[in-house]
Amino acid sequence: MKGGLTAIVDYGAGNLFSVKNALDFLGAESSICSDRAGIAKADRLILPGVGAFPDAMEKLERTGLADAIVEEAGRKPLLGICLGMQLLFETGFEFGTTRGLGLIGGTVGLIDAPGLKIPHMGWSDVRRAGACPLSEGVREGESFYFVHSYRAVTDMGNVALYAEYGGVVPALVFRGGVFGCQFHPEKSGRAGLSILEKFVSL
Amino acid sequence: MLAKRIVPCLDVRDGKVVKGINFIDIKEVGDPVECAMEYDRQGADEIVFLDITATHEGRGTMAEVVRRTARNVFVPLTVGGGIRGVDDFRALLRAGADKISVNSAALREPGLISEAAAVFGSQCVVVAIDAKRRGGDGGGPPRYSAFVRGGREDTGVDAVEWAAEAERRGAGEILLTSMDTDGTKEGFDLAMLDAVCAAVNIPVIASGGGGSLRSFSELFLNTGADAALAASIFHYGEFSVGDVKQELIRAGIPARM
């Protein structure tokens, strides 16, 4: 339990330190890494991210991190957070069309919520869908902290938790050992920490 | 459903909480980190630190307070007070803040909003507006004037128009304090909040006047505000964040329990 090293992938997008603080708080060893060697050495990976899809993919591809992540994703658990979760999908439609990492089937498009504020920002409650190791014990109606304007469109078979904001907003997605949280588990209080704790115990 | 947020605010001077604090279970009274941890335990949806340090030397202590808090509190953390430029944003975000609130500097130099939004993203740029009612007694609609320097100087700028401009320039949120209701505990300034909420399409945090439990449900039943900020009622332990949430649930308002 909680053994091994979790690499937090640094590609110049987002607040890595909040994720690191949360893992430190949980007593899980982690390192911030920005090269292939760091990714290869780790036992599991976290892909954080705040910003825009095309920009983030460009950085991941230019640094060779995209290939490294895809290569390792079959071998070790991977958790994408917020934009990092969106990058797991095949295609993003933020500022044009961008190819994602393609680890989970689906696309990422603008939230379609007439009459609601964009971004979807704040605490939203979630419903349970498919069974996934990270959502075990999450109660129906539990709240998590979201900040995003785009949302994934994917088969419900890939969705463990979803929120509703102008339609279904996949909140926790998974496929094999690849997981993605649209919310910020590192900013979602005890409920969020418990998701991270389950991940670092995989 | 998106929950309405309850946001306790801590005034911090030279690294210590100002205003009396009446918590029972904290180790060091006056330590902002301990206070933030207590609010987190009570179910705060977000925590605001307002730095009222007057001296330049004292300001560095705020980053340290933020750093220690971010290691122990895992809900969004907003820091404001005396923010002058993008460098202040960077220093506090790096220390672990999630959002920075800017007031006087944005009114003096509105370009700061777009500059900060371009570098760090709109989601971490909060524009704080301290406003006071002007006129409206003679039958005409009231207008609201935006003040700077901690409410000491009237800029003459219309607060509703300023909120809309802040949104256009890239603000991610408005923190609206009514100087008329602030400290009265007689309820939020619903008319002013209504006017600002109608003028913007970004979240609005209501501040000033939160007193009774009922004042919080009235706020959310009658305006489009997304969050309520309060300081003294929580500090003095009159009621907890959880008590306010219970009142919201009772009134049928979505809240995170």
PDB file of all heavy atoms in Angstrom, chain A residues 21-22 25 50 117 121-125 139 143 145 147 186-189 193, chain B residues 1-3 45 70-71 74-76 98-99 123 173 201-202 224 226 256-257:
ATOM      1  N   ASN A  21       1.777  18.556  -2.830  1.00  0.00           N
ATOM      2  CA  ASN A  21       1.388  18.773  -1.423  1.00  0.00           C
ATOM      3  C   ASN A  21       0.423  17.697  -0.951  1.00  0.00           C
ATOM      4  O   ASN A  21       0.528  17.205   0.171  1.00  0.00           O
ATOM      5  CB  ASN A  21       0.706  20.136  -1.260  1.00  0.00           C
ATOM      6  CG  ASN A  21       1.710  21.274  -1.153  1.00  0.00           C
ATOM      7  OD1 ASN A  21       2.855  21.066  -0.755  1.00  0.00           O
ATOM      8  ND2 ASN A  21       1.283  22.471  -1.507  1.00  0.00           N
ATOM      9  N   ALA A  22      -0.536  17.370  -1.822  1.00  0.00           N
ATOM     10  CA  ALA A  22      -1.543  16.375  -1.437  1.00  0.00           C
ATOM     11  C   ALA A  22      -0.894  15.002  -1.251  1.00  0.00           C
ATOM     12  O   ALA A  22      -1.191  14.279  -0.294  1.00  0.00           O
ATOM     13  CB  ALA A  22      -2.657  16.311  -2.482  1.00  0.00           C
ATOM     14  N   PHE A  25       1.045  14.972   1.932  1.00  0.00           N
ATOM     15  CA  PHE A  25       0.104  14.891   3.060  1.00  0.00           C
ATOM     16  C   PHE A  25      -0.333  13.445   3.284  1.00  0.00           C
ATOM     17  O   PHE A  25      -0.498  12.999   4.416  1.00  0.00           O
ATOM     18  CB  PHE A  25      -1.101  15.783   2.763  1.00  0.00           C
ATOM     19  CG  PHE A  25      -2.096  15.886   3.886  1.00  0.00           C
ATOM     20  CD1 PHE A  25      -1.897  16.797   4.919  1.00  0.00           C
ATOM     21  CD2 PHE A  25      -3.236  15.087   3.905  1.00  0.00           C
ATOM     22  CE1 PHE A  25      -2.811  16.901   5.957  1.00  0.00           C
ATOM     23  CE2 PHE A  25      -4.158  15.189   4.941  1.00  0.00           C
ATOM     24  CZ  PHE A  25      -3.950  16.102   5.964  1.00  0.00           C
ATOM     25  N   VAL A  50      -3.290  22.700 -16.324  1.00  0.00           N
ATOM     26  CA  VAL A  50      -4.231  23.806 -16.400  1.00  0.00           C
ATOM     27  C   VAL A  50      -3.824  24.537 -17.659  1.00  0.00           C
ATOM     28  O   VAL A  50      -2.634  24.689 -17.925  1.00  0.00           O
ATOM     29  CB  VAL A  50      -4.071  24.757 -15.180  1.00  0.00           C
ATOM     30  CG1 VAL A  50      -4.893  26.018 -15.367  1.00  0.00           C
ATOM     31  CG2 VAL A  50      -4.480  24.056 -13.892  1.00  0.00           C
ATOM     32  N   LYS A 117     -23.209  29.449 -16.299  1.00  0.00           N
ATOM     33  CA  LYS A 117     -21.937  30.136 -16.445  1.00  0.00           C
ATOM     34  C   LYS A 117     -20.847  29.193 -16.925  1.00  0.00           C
ATOM     35  O   LYS A 117     -20.805  28.031 -16.548  1.00  0.00           O
ATOM     36  CB  LYS A 117     -21.533  30.768 -15.103  1.00  0.00           C
ATOM     37  CG  LYS A 117     -22.478  31.877 -14.682  1.00  0.00           C
ATOM     38  CD  LYS A 117     -22.198  32.424 -13.291  1.00  0.00           C
ATOM     39  CE  LYS A 117     -23.269  33.468 -12.949  1.00  0.00           C
ATOM     40  NZ  LYS A 117     -23.107  34.045 -11.620  1.00  0.00           N
ATOM     41  N   MET A 121     -17.372  26.205 -12.599  1.00  0.00           N
ATOM     42  CA  MET A 121     -16.411  26.393 -11.526  1.00  0.00           C
ATOM     43  C   MET A 121     -17.085  26.244 -10.184  1.00  0.00           C
ATOM     44  O   MET A 121     -18.076  26.906  -9.908  1.00  0.00           O
ATOM     45  CB  MET A 121     -15.767  27.774 -11.628  1.00  0.00           C
ATOM     46  CG  MET A 121     -14.764  27.996 -10.526  1.00  0.00           C
ATOM     47  SD  MET A 121     -13.648  29.344 -10.883  1.00  0.00           S
ATOM     48  CE  MET A 121     -14.534  30.660 -10.144  1.00  0.00           C
ATOM     49  N   GLY A 122     -16.534  25.366  -9.361  1.00  0.00           N
ATOM     50  CA  GLY A 122     -17.056  25.191  -8.018  1.00  0.00           C
ATOM     51  C   GLY A 122     -17.259  23.720  -7.695  1.00  0.00           C
ATOM     52  O   GLY A 122     -16.726  22.835  -8.376  1.00  0.00           O
ATOM     53  N   TRP A 123     -18.054  23.502  -6.658  1.00  0.00           N
ATOM     54  CA  TRP A 123     -18.274  22.138  -6.167  1.00  0.00           C
ATOM     55  C   TRP A 123     -19.535  21.571  -6.787  1.00  0.00           C
ATOM     56  O   TRP A 123     -20.612  22.124  -6.613  1.00  0.00           O
ATOM     57  CB  TRP A 123     -18.423  22.160  -4.650  1.00  0.00           C
ATOM     58  CG  TRP A 123     -17.190  22.593  -3.919  1.00  0.00           C
ATOM     59  CD1 TRP A 123     -16.799  23.884  -3.674  1.00  0.00           C
ATOM     60  CD2 TRP A 123     -16.193  21.753  -3.325  1.00  0.00           C
ATOM     61  NE1 TRP A 123     -15.610  23.887  -2.971  1.00  0.00           N
ATOM     62  CE2 TRP A 123     -15.226  22.599  -2.738  1.00  0.00           C
ATOM     63  CE3 TRP A 123     -16.023  20.361  -3.240  1.00  0.00           C
ATOM     64  CZ2 TRP A 123     -14.111  22.103  -2.067  1.00  0.00           C
ATOM     65  CZ3 TRP A 123     -14.909  19.883  -2.569  1.00  0.00           C
ATOM     66  CH2 TRP A 123     -13.970  20.737  -2.000  1.00  0.00           C
ATOM     67  N   SER A 124     -19.390  20.454  -7.515  1.00  0.00           N
ATOM     68  CA  SER A 124     -20.561  19.786  -8.078  1.00  0.00           C
ATOM     69  C   SER A 124     -20.655  18.380  -7.515  1.00  0.00           C
ATOM     70  O   SER A 124     -19.631  17.722  -7.310  1.00  0.00           O
ATOM     71  CB  SER A 124     -20.443  19.687  -9.599  1.00  0.00           C
ATOM     72  OG  SER A 124     -20.931  20.857 -10.212  1.00  0.00           O
ATOM     73  N   ASP A 125     -21.878  17.930  -7.302  1.00  0.00           N
ATOM     74  CA  ASP A 125     -22.038  16.554  -6.821  1.00  0.00           C
ATOM     75  C   ASP A 125     -21.997  15.595  -8.012  1.00  0.00           C
ATOM     76  O   ASP A 125     -22.272  15.982  -9.144  1.00  0.00           O
ATOM     77  CB  ASP A 125     -23.309  16.391  -5.984  1.00  0.00           C
ATOM     78  CG  ASP A 125     -24.558  16.816  -6.726  1.00  0.00           C
ATOM     79  OD1 ASP A 125     -24.439  17.436  -7.800  1.00  0.00           O
ATOM     80  OD2 ASP A 125     -25.659  16.516  -6.250  1.00  0.00           O
ATOM     81  N   ARG A 139     -19.481   8.093  -2.216  1.00  0.00           N
ATOM     82  CA  ARG A 139     -20.935   7.983  -2.104  1.00  0.00           C
ATOM     83  C   ARG A 139     -21.626   8.784  -3.205  1.00  0.00           C
ATOM     84  O   ARG A 139     -21.093   9.781  -3.689  1.00  0.00           O
ATOM     85  CB  ARG A 139     -21.422   8.398  -0.721  1.00  0.00           C
ATOM     86  CG  ARG A 139     -21.181   9.834  -0.384  1.00  0.00           C
ATOM     87  CD  ARG A 139     -21.662  10.185   1.025  1.00  0.00           C
ATOM     88  NE  ARG A 139     -21.173  11.501   1.390  1.00  0.00           N
ATOM     89  CZ  ARG A 139     -21.746  12.644   1.014  1.00  0.00           C
ATOM     90  NH1 ARG A 139     -22.847  12.646   0.278  1.00  0.00           N
ATOM     91  NH2 ARG A 139     -21.227  13.804   1.374  1.00  0.00           N
ATOM     92  N   SER A 143     -19.383  15.588  -3.416  1.00  0.00           N
ATOM     93  CA  SER A 143     -19.007  16.758  -4.217  1.00  0.00           C
ATOM     94  C   SER A 143     -17.504  16.844  -4.433  1.00  0.00           C
ATOM     95  O   SER A 143     -16.726  16.480  -3.551  1.00  0.00           O
ATOM     96  CB  SER A 143     -19.475  18.038  -3.521  1.00  0.00           C
ATOM     97  OG  SER A 143     -20.873  18.075  -3.475  1.00  0.00           O
ATOM     98  N   TYR A 145     -14.381  19.472  -6.585  1.00  0.00           N
ATOM     99  CA  TYR A 145     -14.147  20.836  -7.065  1.00  0.00           C
ATOM    100  C   TYR A 145     -13.707  20.847  -8.534  1.00  0.00           C
ATOM    101  O   TYR A 145     -12.690  20.271  -8.889  1.00  0.00           O
ATOM    102  CB  TYR A 145     -13.082  21.519  -6.202  1.00  0.00           C
ATOM    103  CG  TYR A 145     -12.920  22.986  -6.521  1.00  0.00           C
ATOM    104  CD1 TYR A 145     -13.881  23.912  -6.108  1.00  0.00           C
ATOM    105  CD2 TYR A 145     -11.846  23.452  -7.263  1.00  0.00           C
ATOM    106  CE1 TYR A 145     -13.758  25.254  -6.408  1.00  0.00           C
ATOM    107  CE2 TYR A 145     -11.709  24.796  -7.563  1.00  0.00           C
ATOM    108  CZ  TYR A 145     -12.672  25.687  -7.138  1.00  0.00           C
ATOM    109  OH  TYR A 145     -12.552  27.021  -7.440  1.00  0.00           O
ATOM    110  N   VAL A 147     -13.017  23.107 -12.224  1.00  0.00           N
ATOM    111  CA  VAL A 147     -12.799  24.383 -12.927  1.00  0.00           C
ATOM    112  C   VAL A 147     -12.482  24.028 -14.369  1.00  0.00           C
ATOM    113  O   VAL A 147     -11.368  23.622 -14.692  1.00  0.00           O
ATOM    114  CB  VAL A 147     -11.581  25.182 -12.390  1.00  0.00           C
ATOM    115  CG1 VAL A 147     -11.508  26.533 -13.084  1.00  0.00           C
ATOM    116  CG2 VAL A 147     -11.631  25.370 -10.890  1.00  0.00           C
ATOM    117  N   GLU A 186      -6.931  17.226  -5.693  1.00  0.00           N
ATOM    118  CA  GLU A 186      -6.042  17.885  -4.724  1.00  0.00           C
ATOM    119  C   GLU A 186      -6.681  19.129  -4.120  1.00  0.00           C
ATOM    120  O   GLU A 186      -6.100  19.763  -3.248  1.00  0.00           O
ATOM    121  CB  GLU A 186      -4.696  18.202  -5.391  1.00  0.00           C
ATOM    122  CG  GLU A 186      -4.671  19.399  -6.341  1.00  0.00           C
ATOM    123  CD  GLU A 186      -5.294  19.162  -7.714  1.00  0.00           C
ATOM    124  OE1 GLU A 186      -5.983  18.138  -7.913  1.00  0.00           O
ATOM    125  OE2 GLU A 186      -5.089  20.019  -8.596  1.00  0.00           O
ATOM    126  N   LYS A 187      -7.881  19.504  -4.624  1.00  0.00           N
ATOM    127  CA  LYS A 187      -8.581  20.674  -4.082  1.00  0.00           C
ATOM    128  C   LYS A 187      -9.994  20.307  -3.656  1.00  0.00           C
ATOM    129  O   LYS A 187     -10.829  21.173  -3.474  1.00  0.00           O
ATOM    130  CB  LYS A 187      -8.642  21.782  -5.163  1.00  0.00           C
ATOM    131  CG  LYS A 187      -7.307  22.435  -5.427  1.00  0.00           C
ATOM    132  CD  LYS A 187      -6.864  23.310  -4.271  1.00  0.00           C
ATOM    133  CE  LYS A 187      -5.370  23.552  -4.290  1.00  0.00           C
ATOM    134  NZ  LYS A 187      -4.922  24.245  -3.065  1.00  0.00           N
ATOM    135  N   SER A 188     -10.260  19.019  -3.553  1.00  0.00           N
ATOM    136  CA  SER A 188     -11.624  18.559  -3.257  1.00  0.00           C
ATOM    137  C   SER A 188     -11.757  17.985  -1.858  1.00  0.00           C
ATOM    138  O   SER A 188     -12.561  17.081  -1.617  1.00  0.00           O
ATOM    139  CB  SER A 188     -12.076  17.524  -4.295  1.00  0.00           C
ATOM    140  OG  SER A 188     -12.215  18.108  -5.569  1.00  0.00           O
ATOM    141  N   GLY A 189     -10.972  18.530  -0.931  1.00  0.00           N
ATOM    142  CA  GLY A 189     -11.107  18.121   0.466  1.00  0.00           C
ATOM    143  C   GLY A 189     -10.860  16.638   0.662  1.00  0.00           C
ATOM    144  O   GLY A 189     -10.106  16.008  -0.082  1.00  0.00           O
ATOM    145  N   LEU A 193      -8.867  13.710  -1.598  1.00  0.00           N
ATOM    146  CA  LEU A 193      -7.679  13.032  -1.073  1.00  0.00           C
ATOM    147  C   LEU A 193      -7.880  11.518  -1.113  1.00  0.00           C
ATOM    148  O   LEU A 193      -6.943  10.761  -1.370  1.00  0.00           O
ATOM    149  CB  LEU A 193      -7.390  13.483   0.361  1.00  0.00           C
ATOM    150  CG  LEU A 193      -6.869  14.928   0.521  1.00  0.00           C
ATOM    151  CD1 LEU A 193      -6.712  15.263   1.997  1.00  0.00           C
ATOM    152  CD2 LEU A 193      -5.547  15.131  -0.207  1.00  0.00           C
TER     153      LEU A 193
ATOM    154  N   MET B   1     -25.436  19.154  -9.634  1.00  0.00           N
ATOM    155  CA  MET B   1     -25.820  20.528  -9.285  1.00  0.00           C
ATOM    156  C   MET B   1     -24.636  21.261  -8.690  1.00  0.00           C
ATOM    157  O   MET B   1     -23.896  20.702  -7.883  1.00  0.00           O
ATOM    158  CB  MET B   1     -26.957  20.451  -8.255  1.00  0.00           C
ATOM    159  CG  MET B   1     -27.645  21.767  -8.031  1.00  0.00           C
ATOM    160  SD  MET B   1     -29.000  22.059  -9.161  1.00  0.00           S
ATOM    161  CE  MET B   1     -30.388  21.789  -8.070  1.00  0.00           C
ATOM    162  N   LEU B   2     -24.426  22.482  -9.111  1.00  0.00           N
ATOM    163  CA  LEU B   2     -23.329  23.288  -8.589  1.00  0.00           C
ATOM    164  C   LEU B   2     -23.738  23.852  -7.231  1.00  0.00           C
ATOM    165  O   LEU B   2     -24.772  24.500  -7.104  1.00  0.00           O
ATOM    166  CB  LEU B   2     -23.046  24.418  -9.585  1.00  0.00           C
ATOM    167  CG  LEU B   2     -21.754  25.196  -9.409  1.00  0.00           C
ATOM    168  CD1 LEU B   2     -20.540  24.285  -9.517  1.00  0.00           C
ATOM    169  CD2 LEU B   2     -21.663  26.308 -10.452  1.00  0.00           C
ATOM    170  N   ALA B   3     -22.910  23.593  -6.223  1.00  0.00           N
ATOM    171  CA  ALA B   3     -23.246  24.049  -4.879  1.00  0.00           C
ATOM    172  C   ALA B   3     -22.960  25.537  -4.722  1.00  0.00           C
ATOM    173  O   ALA B   3     -22.042  26.068  -5.335  1.00  0.00           O
ATOM    174  CB  ALA B   3     -22.421  23.261  -3.863  1.00  0.00           C
ATOM    175  N   ASP B  45     -15.882  25.816   1.685  1.00  0.00           N
ATOM    176  CA  ASP B  45     -15.722  25.426   0.281  1.00  0.00           C
ATOM    177  C   ASP B  45     -14.489  26.068  -0.332  1.00  0.00           C
ATOM    178  O   ASP B  45     -14.055  25.685  -1.428  1.00  0.00           O
ATOM    179  CB  ASP B  45     -16.963  25.851  -0.514  1.00  0.00           C
ATOM    180  CG  ASP B  45     -18.185  25.101  -0.033  1.00  0.00           C
ATOM    181  OD1 ASP B  45     -18.098  23.872   0.123  1.00  0.00           O
ATOM    182  OD2 ASP B  45     -19.213  25.754   0.223  1.00  0.00           O
ATOM    183  N   ALA B  70      -1.148  25.539   2.297  1.00  0.00           N
ATOM    184  CA  ALA B  70      -1.351  24.662   1.136  1.00  0.00           C
ATOM    185  C   ALA B  70      -0.845  23.248   1.397  1.00  0.00           C
ATOM    186  O   ALA B  70      -1.205  22.322   0.679  1.00  0.00           O
ATOM    187  CB  ALA B  70      -0.657  25.256  -0.094  1.00  0.00           C
ATOM    188  N   ARG B  71      -0.022  23.074   2.410  1.00  0.00           N
ATOM    189  CA  ARG B  71       0.441  21.727   2.744  1.00  0.00           C
ATOM    190  C   ARG B  71      -0.564  20.989   3.616  1.00  0.00           C
ATOM    191  O   ARG B  71      -0.419  19.800   3.864  1.00  0.00           O
ATOM    192  CB  ARG B  71       1.777  21.795   3.497  1.00  0.00           C
ATOM    193  CG  ARG B  71       2.931  22.151   2.590  1.00  0.00           C
ATOM    194  CD  ARG B  71       4.254  21.932   3.325  1.00  0.00           C
ATOM    195  NE  ARG B  71       5.301  22.676   2.654  1.00  0.00           N
ATOM    196  CZ  ARG B  71       6.048  23.610   3.241  1.00  0.00           C
ATOM    197  NH1 ARG B  71       5.879  23.902   4.509  1.00  0.00           N
ATOM    198  NH2 ARG B  71       6.973  24.235   2.550  1.00  0.00           N
ATOM    199  N   PHE B  74      -6.812  21.264   1.729  1.00  0.00           N
ATOM    200  CA  PHE B  74      -6.962  20.864   0.329  1.00  0.00           C
ATOM    201  C   PHE B  74      -8.299  21.304  -0.259  1.00  0.00           C
ATOM    202  O   PHE B  74      -9.027  20.526  -0.863  1.00  0.00           O
ATOM    203  CB  PHE B  74      -6.702  19.360   0.199  1.00  0.00           C
ATOM    204  CG  PHE B  74      -5.275  19.036   0.601  1.00  0.00           C
ATOM    205  CD1 PHE B  74      -4.987  18.582   1.868  1.00  0.00           C
ATOM    206  CD2 PHE B  74      -4.235  19.285  -0.274  1.00  0.00           C
ATOM    207  CE1 PHE B  74      -3.674  18.343   2.262  1.00  0.00           C
ATOM    208  CE2 PHE B  74      -2.914  19.063   0.103  1.00  0.00           C
ATOM    209  CZ  PHE B  74      -2.630  18.590   1.371  1.00  0.00           C
ATOM    210  N   VAL B  75      -8.603  22.581  -0.042  1.00  0.00           N
ATOM    211  CA  VAL B  75      -9.691  23.237  -0.757  1.00  0.00           C
ATOM    212  C   VAL B  75      -9.080  24.504  -1.375  1.00  0.00           C
ATOM    213  O   VAL B  75      -7.994  24.915  -0.965  1.00  0.00           O
ATOM    214  CB  VAL B  75     -10.888  23.597   0.169  1.00  0.00           C
ATOM    215  CG1 VAL B  75     -11.503  22.333   0.758  1.00  0.00           C
ATOM    216  CG2 VAL B  75     -10.491  24.569   1.259  1.00  0.00           C
ATOM    217  N   PRO B  76      -9.757  25.108  -2.355  1.00  0.00           N
ATOM    218  CA  PRO B  76      -9.165  26.273  -3.019  1.00  0.00           C
ATOM    219  C   PRO B  76      -8.864  27.409  -2.039  1.00  0.00           C
ATOM    220  O   PRO B  76      -9.615  27.656  -1.090  1.00  0.00           O
ATOM    221  CB  PRO B  76     -10.242  26.681  -4.027  1.00  0.00           C
ATOM    222  CG  PRO B  76     -10.985  25.427  -4.293  1.00  0.00           C
ATOM    223  CD  PRO B  76     -11.006  24.691  -2.993  1.00  0.00           C
ATOM    224  N   ASP B  98      -4.548  29.366  -5.077  1.00  0.00           N
ATOM    225  CA  ASP B  98      -5.216  28.962  -6.312  1.00  0.00           C
ATOM    226  C   ASP B  98      -5.757  30.157  -7.074  1.00  0.00           C
ATOM    227  O   ASP B  98      -5.884  30.116  -8.282  1.00  0.00           O
ATOM    228  CB  ASP B  98      -6.372  28.009  -5.988  1.00  0.00           C
ATOM    229  CG  ASP B  98      -5.853  26.757  -5.341  1.00  0.00           C
ATOM    230  OD1 ASP B  98      -5.252  25.946  -6.055  1.00  0.00           O
ATOM    231  OD2 ASP B  98      -5.990  26.613  -4.114  1.00  0.00           O
ATOM    232  N   LYS B  99      -6.113  31.201  -6.325  1.00  0.00           N
ATOM    233  CA  LYS B  99      -6.643  32.404  -6.963  1.00  0.00           C
ATOM    234  C   LYS B  99      -6.062  33.614  -6.246  1.00  0.00           C
ATOM    235  O   LYS B  99      -5.763  33.549  -5.054  1.00  0.00           O
ATOM    236  CB  LYS B  99      -8.172  32.484  -6.823  1.00  0.00           C
ATOM    237  CG  LYS B  99      -8.918  31.238  -7.246  1.00  0.00           C
ATOM    238  CD  LYS B  99     -10.407  31.449  -7.041  1.00  0.00           C
ATOM    239  CE  LYS B  99     -11.154  30.134  -7.093  1.00  0.00           C
ATOM    240  NZ  LYS B  99     -12.596  30.296  -6.895  1.00  0.00           N
ATOM    241  N   GLN B 123      -9.117  31.696 -14.474  1.00  0.00           N
ATOM    242  CA  GLN B 123      -9.657  31.032 -13.283  1.00  0.00           C
ATOM    243  C   GLN B 123      -8.969  31.474 -12.005  1.00  0.00           C
ATOM    244  O   GLN B 123      -9.510  31.313 -10.927  1.00  0.00           O
ATOM    245  CB  GLN B 123      -9.606  29.506 -13.440  1.00  0.00           C
ATOM    246  CG  GLN B 123      -8.264  28.844 -13.134  1.00  0.00           C
ATOM    247  CD  GLN B 123      -7.205  29.099 -14.196  1.00  0.00           C
ATOM    248  OE1 GLN B 123      -7.517  29.422 -15.325  1.00  0.00           O
ATOM    249  NE2 GLN B 123      -5.951  28.970 -13.815  1.00  0.00           N
ATOM    250  N   GLU B 173     -13.728  35.870 -11.760  1.00  0.00           N
ATOM    251  CA  GLU B 173     -14.679  35.929 -10.666  1.00  0.00           C
ATOM    252  C   GLU B 173     -14.700  37.354 -10.112  1.00  0.00           C
ATOM    253  O   GLU B 173     -13.707  38.054 -10.186  1.00  0.00           O
ATOM    254  CB  GLU B 173     -14.211  34.952  -9.570  1.00  0.00           C
ATOM    255  CG  GLU B 173     -15.281  34.398  -8.700  1.00  0.00           C
ATOM    256  CD  GLU B 173     -14.816  33.145  -7.953  1.00  0.00           C
ATOM    257  OE1 GLU B 173     -13.629  33.069  -7.553  1.00  0.00           O
ATOM    258  OE2 GLU B 173     -15.631  32.255  -7.778  1.00  0.00           O
ATOM    259  N   ASN B 201     -21.313  37.458 -16.430  1.00  0.00           N
ATOM    260  CA  ASN B 201     -21.595  36.030 -16.580  1.00  0.00           C
ATOM    261  C   ASN B 201     -20.483  35.180 -15.959  1.00  0.00           C
ATOM    262  O   ASN B 201     -20.221  34.063 -16.370  1.00  0.00           O
ATOM    263  CB  ASN B 201     -21.778  35.683 -18.065  1.00  0.00           C
ATOM    264  CG  ASN B 201     -22.458  34.340 -18.238  1.00  0.00           C
ATOM    265  OD1 ASN B 201     -23.343  33.982 -17.456  1.00  0.00           O
ATOM    266  ND2 ASN B 201     -22.024  33.571 -19.227  1.00  0.00           N
ATOM    267  N   ILE B 202     -19.797  35.748 -14.971  1.00  0.00           N
ATOM    268  CA  ILE B 202     -18.797  35.008 -14.203  1.00  0.00           C
ATOM    269  C   ILE B 202     -19.302  34.936 -12.765  1.00  0.00           C
ATOM    270  O   ILE B 202     -20.173  35.722 -12.377  1.00  0.00           O
ATOM    271  CB  ILE B 202     -17.399  35.671 -14.272  1.00  0.00           C
ATOM    272  CG1 ILE B 202     -17.486  37.164 -13.946  1.00  0.00           C
ATOM    273  CG2 ILE B 202     -16.740  35.437 -15.624  1.00  0.00           C
ATOM    274  CD1 ILE B 202     -16.143  37.880 -13.926  1.00  0.00           C
ATOM    275  N   GLY B 224     -28.391  36.130  -7.872  1.00  0.00           N
ATOM    276  CA  GLY B 224     -27.656  35.118  -8.632  1.00  0.00           C
ATOM    277  C   GLY B 224     -26.266  34.857  -8.067  1.00  0.00           C
ATOM    278  O   GLY B 224     -25.433  34.247  -8.739  1.00  0.00           O
ATOM    279  N   ASP B 226     -23.014  33.361  -6.398  1.00  0.00           N
ATOM    280  CA  ASP B 226     -22.538  31.975  -6.409  1.00  0.00           C
ATOM    281  C   ASP B 226     -21.933  31.564  -5.085  1.00  0.00           C
ATOM    282  O   ASP B 226     -21.769  30.372  -4.812  1.00  0.00           O
ATOM    283  CB  ASP B 226     -21.479  31.796  -7.501  1.00  0.00           C
ATOM    284  CG  ASP B 226     -22.055  32.085  -8.870  1.00  0.00           C
ATOM    285  OD1 ASP B 226     -22.069  33.265  -9.278  1.00  0.00           O
ATOM    286  OD2 ASP B 226     -22.541  31.136  -9.506  1.00  0.00           O
ATOM    287  N   ARG B 256     -22.603  21.924  -0.381  1.00  0.00           N
ATOM    288  CA  ARG B 256     -21.760  20.735  -0.214  1.00  0.00           C
ATOM    289  C   ARG B 256     -21.730  20.368   1.260  1.00  0.00           C
ATOM    290  O   ARG B 256     -21.282  21.136   2.088  1.00  0.00           O
ATOM    291  CB  ARG B 256     -20.338  21.045  -0.687  1.00  0.00           C
ATOM    292  CG  ARG B 256     -19.365  19.895  -0.416  1.00  0.00           C
ATOM    293  CD  ARG B 256     -17.966  20.221  -0.883  1.00  0.00           C
ATOM    294  NE  ARG B 256     -17.291  21.152  -0.015  1.00  0.00           N
ATOM    295  CZ  ARG B 256     -16.229  20.838   0.737  1.00  0.00           C
ATOM    296  NH1 ARG B 256     -15.748  19.620   0.732  1.00  0.00           N
ATOM    297  NH2 ARG B 256     -15.640  21.753   1.475  1.00  0.00           N
ATOM    298  N   MET B 257     -22.221  19.184   1.579  1.00  0.00           N
ATOM    299  CA  MET B 257     -22.202  18.756   2.991  1.00  0.00           C
ATOM    300  C   MET B 257     -21.102  17.751   3.224  1.00  0.00           C
ATOM    301  O   MET B 257     -20.728  17.011   2.362  1.00  0.00           O
ATOM    302  CB  MET B 257     -23.548  18.158   3.364  1.00  0.00           C
ATOM    303  CG  MET B 257     -24.647  19.177   3.426  1.00  0.00           C
ATOM    304  SD  MET B 257     -24.289  20.578   4.509  1.00  0.00           S
ATOM    305  CE  MET B 257     -24.518  19.827   6.114  1.00  0.00           C
TER     306      MET B 257
END
